[in-house]
Amino acid sequence: YGTNRLRQAKFMDFNLTEEQLMIQQAARDFAQAELLEGVIERDEHSKFPTEQVKKMAELGFLGMMVDPKYGGSGLDSVSYVLAITEIAKVDASAAVIMSVNNSLVCAGIEKYCNEEQKMKYLVPLAKGEVIGAFCLSEPEAGSDATSQKTTAIDKGDHYLLNGTKNWITNGATASTYIVIAQTDVEKGHKGINAFIVEKGWAGFDIGPKEKKMGIRGSDTHSLLFNDVKVPKENRIGADGFGFNFAMSVLNGGRIGIASQALGIATGAYELALKYSQERKAFGKEIFKHQAIAFKLADMATQISAARLLCFNAAYQKDQGMDISQSGAMAKLFASQTAMDTTIEAVQIHGGNGYVAEYHVERMMRDAKITQIYEGTSEIQRIVISRTLIA
């Protein structure tokens, strides 16, 4: 590639292993048997899939990449991509619950926490006995993680936490929260820390549930911290490590969101393809009309490209490579693919595409958020462009 600096030094073997195929099938079976029934009702009533999440835990889907000694499944990132994709094909809300617990919470604790913290918090999270939440975004600090207004003042044996976090997935159902806060404004990003906070601590309140356009089955809340005492031992890493911690975790988190987007796109495409083979217009199945056939061809092509980007980012992560570029590329392209594909799926369904029972209108609403959380599409372009000249 000359001076292009594309970080593609290693590519994955495109032949999935027997174990990976088994994980994919298990996730597909779970999604069809446990998630499909009631998914429209959960969306309509913004109902958290409590029983389904418990079954996800039983299958090991909430700690997929965590070492078995900490209660996890010890699987690779490609298996994780396969599982989330299958679940998101049916229920994107369940997929994001799974993604946050795996990519943002478990991954961060396993990689950066000490042994005592891992045994106390990671084990129950990986087993799915509790679920976690990652608390970075604020009313005035979404993608700009350096603009934290939440503060954690050092009081000797503890920190005093004050502030508000917004748009927190698993906000009310989580028991363990990773909270990013500013401890020294003068130091800028070097004055930011990450803390493990438990539900129920004095001064920690959960705001009302957000009314959302999509992924309504996941619970999204604001979190309020008013003089919350956080023990010193609940800080993650050295003093001032919080910003680097957040950026590292978000890099991995983009693979989960890219996989969710891939699943939404794939699910919508499969429904549109099936519908086009059943629906007739002007005396023949609409698939046989070039206008529809070309739409499906473009959808399939975009999905195949998105899948390869997701696999490549996952493979590079497992190889211990820098995934800042590959993760951002996967998230950027897969989220656009999800949006494009679901719009066309609704169009192919015609009037039926506007009706809840055909699922694609929900998928279109769900797809939009994949372009926003874990950093907007514009942020992904910034990340990618910086890697090109690094």
Side-chain angles (χ1 to χ4, degrees):
Y1 294 107
T3 59
N4 199 5
R5 296 180 182 269
L6 286 174
R7 296 176 179 173
Q8 306 294 331
K10 293 183 180 179
F11 287 92
M12 69 168 289
D13 180 349
F14 293 106
N15 294 312
L16 298 177
T17 66
E18 184 176 345
E19 182 181 46
Q20 289 168 341
L21 290 170
M22 288 175 61
I23 296 298
Q24 182 183 44
Q25 188 62 52
R28 182 179 297 146
D29 292 344
F30 169 77
Q32 293 297 321
E34 303 292 343
L35 291 174
L36 183 57
E37 183 178 358
V39 66
I40 294 174
E41 179 187 1
R42 292 193 299 274
D43 172 75
E44 183 179 350
H45 298 288
S46 299
K47 183 179 178 182
F48 187 86
T50 303
E51 293 305 314
Q52 291 80 3
V53 170
K54 288 179 181 177
K55 291 177 181 178
M56 287 167 67
E58 293 170 4
L59 290 169
F61 287 154
L62 295 185
M64 289 190 69
M65 297 171 289
V66 175
D67 192 307
K69 71 179 180 180
Y70 299 119
S73 301
L75 296 170
D76 65 321
S77 298
V78 174
S79 296
Y80 174 59
V81 168
L82 292 168
I84 284 197
T85 300
E86 291 299 327
I87 288 170
K89 281 167 62 174
V90 175
D91 187 350
S93 295
V96 74
I97 294 164
M98 174 181 167
S99 177
V100 167
N101 204 72
N102 276 280
S103 296
L104 299 183
V105 182
C106 285
I109 293 176
E110 182 172 29
K111 186 173 182 179
Y112 294 111
C113 283
N114 60 43
E115 196 66 18
E116 183 179 350
Q117 291 169 331
K118 290 178 186 178
M119 295 306 298
K120 182 176 181 180
Y121 294 109
L122 180 58
V123 172
L125 284 164
K127 289 181 177 179
E129 295 171 351
V130 298
I131 61 173
F134 184 76
C135 311
L136 173 65
S137 295
E138 299 183 359
E140 297 180 12
S143 299
D144 182 8
T146 60
S147 299
Q148 297 290 304
K149 301 300 182 185
T150 298
T151 59
I153 306 303
D154 192 338
K155 294 294 184 179
D157 64 342
H158 68 275
Y159 289 89
L160 210 55
L161 185 65
N162 283 280
T164 301
K165 293 296 181 180
N166 273 25
W167 312 297
I168 305 303
T169 300
N170 301 340
T173 51
S175 297
T176 303
Y177 301 78
I178 296 178
V179 181
I180 312 299
Q182 182 71 256
T183 56
D184 191 335
V185 176
E186 297 299 320
K187 292 182 179 179
H189 75 276
K190 293 183 179 180
I192 294 174
N193 276 300
F195 303 92
I196 301 175
V197 176
E198 298 178 24
K199 178 185 281 184
W201 283 357
F204 176 16
D205 294 309
I206 298 169
K209 188 173 184 176
E210 301 288 358
K211 296 179 180 179
K212 300 174 296 183
M213 179 174 77
I215 58 165
R216 293 175 178 169
S218 68
D219 64 319
T220 305
H221 293 256
S222 293
L223 305 180
L224 312 173
F225 304 96
N226 183 22
D227 285 344
V228 178
K229 289 184 177 180
V230 181
K232 225 26 172 324
E233 58 265 27
N234 277 44
R235 188 185 71 202
I236 298 175
D239 185 28
F241 180 64
F243 178 79
N244 289 336
F245 169 85
M247 294 303 100
S248 175
V249 169
L250 287 174
N251 275 341
R254 289 179 182 124
I255 296 176
I257 299 307
S259 303
Q260 180 194 5
L262 174 62
I264 294 169
T266 306
Y269 164 75
E270 290 179 357
L271 288 172
L273 179 62
K274 183 175 183 292
Y275 185 83
S276 73
Q277 294 169 310
E278 297 170 347
R279 173 74 170 178
K280 289 185 177 181
F282 304 103
K284 58 184 177 181
E285 293 81 4
I286 62 173
F287 174 82
K288 295 179 181 178
H289 292 285
Q290 193 176 78
I292 302 299
F294 278 14
K295 287 182 185 295
L296 291 163
D298 287 342
M299 293 159 74
T301 301
Q302 277 190 272
I303 289 168
S304 291
R307 182 178 295 109
L308 293 177
L309 284 169
C310 289
F311 282 173
N312 188 52
Y315 174 78
Q316 290 188 355
K317 181 175 182 291
D318 289 336
Q319 298 300 310
M321 298 172 64
D322 180 0
I323 59 167
S324 55
Q325 183 190 91
S326 60
M329 284 182 170
K331 200 264 186 186
L332 173 65
F333 191 82
S335 62
Q336 185 62 54
T337 297
M339 203 69 246
D340 292 345
T341 301
T342 54
I343 288 172
E344 292 290 37
V346 171
Q347 194 72 17
I348 289 170
H349 278 76
N352 286 331
Y354 218 65
V355 178
E357 68 178 280
Y358 286 86
H359 297 283
V360 289
E361 63 85 24
R362 169 175 51 83
M363 292 176 168
M364 185 176 71
R365 290 186 283 104
D366 289 345
K368 187 58 191 175
I369 193 61
T370 66
Q371 294 183 306
I372 298 173
Y373 55 19
E374 302 298 317
T376 64
S377 296
E378 291 74 21
I379 293 297
Q380 306 314 310
R381 290 184 172 92
I382 291 173
V383 172
I384 294 165
S385 64
R386 286 175 177 173
T387 67
L388 298 178
I389 57 174

